[in-house]
Amino acid sequence: MQDYLVGLNPSQREAVEHLQGPLMIVAGAGSGKTKVLTTRIAHLMHNGVDAFNILALTFTNKAAAEMKERIAHILGNNEARNLYIGTFHSVFARILRAEAPKLGYPASFTIYDSDDAKSVVKGILTEMGLDDKTYKPSMVTSRISSAKNALITAEQYVADAGLQAEDAQLRRPQLGQIYLRYTQKCYKNGAMDFDDLLLKMYELLANFPEVLHKYQHKFQYLLIDEYQDTNPVQYQIAKVLAAVHENICVVGDDAQSIYSFRGATIENILQFQTDYDDVKVVKLEQNYRSTSSILNVANAIIKINKGQIPKNLWTDKAEGETIKVVRTMTDNDEGKFVADTIKEQKLRNHFANKDFAILYRTNSQSRSFEESLRRMGIAYKIYGGLSFYQRKEIKDFVAYLRLIANTRDEEALKRIINYPIRGIGKTTVEKLGVIANEQNITMFDAMQRAGEFGFKGGTSDLLKDFATMVRYFQSMLGQNNAYDVAVQVGKNTGLIKELFADRTQEGVARYENVQELLNSIKEWVESPSNDDGEVGEKTLGAYLQQITLLTDADKDTDDPDVVKLMTIHASKGLEFPVVFVAGLEETIFPSGMSINTREELEEERRLFYVAITRAKEKLWLSHANARYRYGQLVQNEPSRFIDEMPDTFVDKTYAGGASRSNTGFNNMGSAFERMHRGGFGGANTPPPVKRATEKPSYLAAPPTPKVVQHTPTENFIVAHTSDIVAGVKVEHAKFGFGVVQSIEGSSHNPVATIVFEQNGEKKIMLNYAKLSIVQG
DNA sequence: GATTGCGCGATTTTT
DNA sequence: TCGCGCAATC
């Protein structure tokens, strides 16, 4: 037996050794999925399959890099570099670069990120004279994105009666037209957005039989990771690519499908077995990650969902500690509690910072944890948020490079035409845009020929000078590499000088960021291969396409000793010894936006499942009685997910259970004490740093009044938000009868102050609360 | 053409 | 509350 087969359990081995024909690996959380995938690829190669004939697709660069590294390790030679392993987007971008002329795109086509896409939409709205409140760019781009993911082209969109009727109903009849123009504009700009990388790849395969044939025969073995997160385009591409050899291996876990809002369809994995004949199904059900307590709770949660691939995830690990549910007074207290507990766990159990993760539903929840961790002097890092390449100074610099690589890129041009200031104002840019449209030329061409279009002499010269400079950089590309050109750009435009001149703290940071960008270009130019193993081809276009597809998560190769803060979405695929899942409150988790249909709620529950299964040893779940949302202190009920957890393995005694069964919110103090008596917090709890004389404020917080439980009356009808106005008598499902005092907050998110007969004054967010108007 | 100030809106986001 | 985008201003 091969060395690499030793140490696989029977199912893992079955999956690895199944070489020919369709294979579906249902891989539960922590069941050794990556190990199986990488070993299987090594095994394929060991059995004579050429690395050049294997394609493995992932969703993140990080996952791809990890696979590649592990395969190289198993093989112990350089063969792995010939494998095609990468994200859907990066692999397709590479293929599209090679085939671009067939589609009328330049090989150095620009990839538009979501900011670029929004900016294009804004331009179209202005052109069409549409209002950006009705057609919010974020809504429009996400709608266009959904259409593309569902393989609906702009032409099909405008021709589809159903979609047109729907848009008319929703008072956005022009959406199809915007989509159409957006598509045209991207084409004219020589640009593809993220979704186009998939859609154009599909069109390439669908419309060019010789191309299809070429890749069908090149990629004889296809592996797809996280299959439950694929969308219809990805599904179709995989299907046509695999059509000849049918050596397709998909790996996924329907229980961890959490990206439906990005177009993922869980049906892809649920129906894989009907897509091919003789599908071999292997289930990886042994979990190597978590204690049995954690796993049992996770299993109990996911069982509540309907329609899953049946599986029984088990572990031979010890029971471990119970899962603790903690209730705090406010979100700030929640932060303090977590920071305190981390400090204490480090002392008691010798954990390092990097053993902890704090997971939350929304990025905005990170604030209270940041504050408390900082106060405690605990190093932390927030994952997600603005990525390096989204910073303004980086985008500006990169825009020069984009324009040099592709002068059709109008978004890049508009970004830098007057940066640094060179006297080309808004009016001039608008005029250029109009001319470009009328003459059907690019804005760049219009600039070069400024003299012909009636610009004033001075303006005309400015435009031509700018174009000449860009042309000069382009000419440099012949003899110089991307790095040399970038350095020249920094010098000639005066960008570097200008950034250097700003000696404020932020200014220095911006300068350093640009230096870092230059370094990374240098590094890229000098490294033998790209991330997906691509050798050679160190063109500027290739560089730019690559960085656009890079995210923050990809470059944290170093493993500093910090507590990690991230959304649950971002935590998928990761594991930590100690996990805190915060904000387990109704309207937060599950999100108030996702409780209207069973499907939405089930996805929230899968998200909760993902959160729980990140933990190896210890797991805390916390929720706050009240938290600041949009500047207002708002009360939230404990999440329904707390109730859904079985009492065995979960210690909820001091938490939601009590308050929900109506013993009141003010048992928090004793709860906290009990928690610290309970053997894991204990006597050794260190006093909070620098605040030894103070009690932890989550104990000192003022008690909240008891809720007098109210049973809704029979004629309880949920009223429309707009009917709730000051003076109206209302009934709340939980707080009983009361009178509306006033309405505050934005029109989109009104907050009512209501004085209840039994429970006093409360602030209620009308979008979430169920209120009935009391007649008479 | 840059600065300042008001008003409005506010999930999750592998690429 | 916080951050953004636009409009008014110099």
Side-chain angles (χ1 to χ4, degrees), chain A residues 127 156 194 232 259 488 495 551 582 590 596 654 714 721 745 765:
Chain A
E127 275 175 35
Q156 289 165 344
F194 287 145
Y259 280 102
Q488 250 343 283
L495 260 182
T551 55
N596 298 315
Y654 43 80
E714 268 175 33
T721 304
M765 290 176 100

Side-chain angles (χ1 to χ4, degrees), chain A residues 144 146-154 156-157 160 163 179 199:
Chain A
I144 292 174
S146 306
K148 287 183 178 176
N149 287 157
L151 279 161
I152 301 166
T153 63
Q156 289 165 344
Y157 192 101
D160 187 288
L163 287 169
Y179 183 11
L199 192 62

Side-chain angles (χ1 to χ4, degrees), chain A residues 162-173:
Chain A
L163 287 169
Q164 289 311 306
E166 188 190 3
D167 281 344
Q169 176 93 41
L170 294 165
R171 317 228 164 157
R172 46 180 202 206

Side-chain angles (χ1 to χ4, degrees), chain A residues 19-37:
Chain A
L19 298 181
Q20 304 290 325
L23 168 66
M24 173 163 87
I25 304 171
V26 181
S31 62
K33 176 192 75 169
T34 310
K35 186 178 185 181
V36 168
L37 266 177

Side-chain angles (χ1 to χ4, degrees), chain A residues 256-271:
Chain A
Q256 295 185 64
S257 164
I258 55 172
Y259 280 102
S260 74
F261 69 92
R262 301 265 314 129
T265 44
I266 196 168
E267 280 70 30
N268 288 352
I269 192 164
L270 297 179
Q271 291 174 8

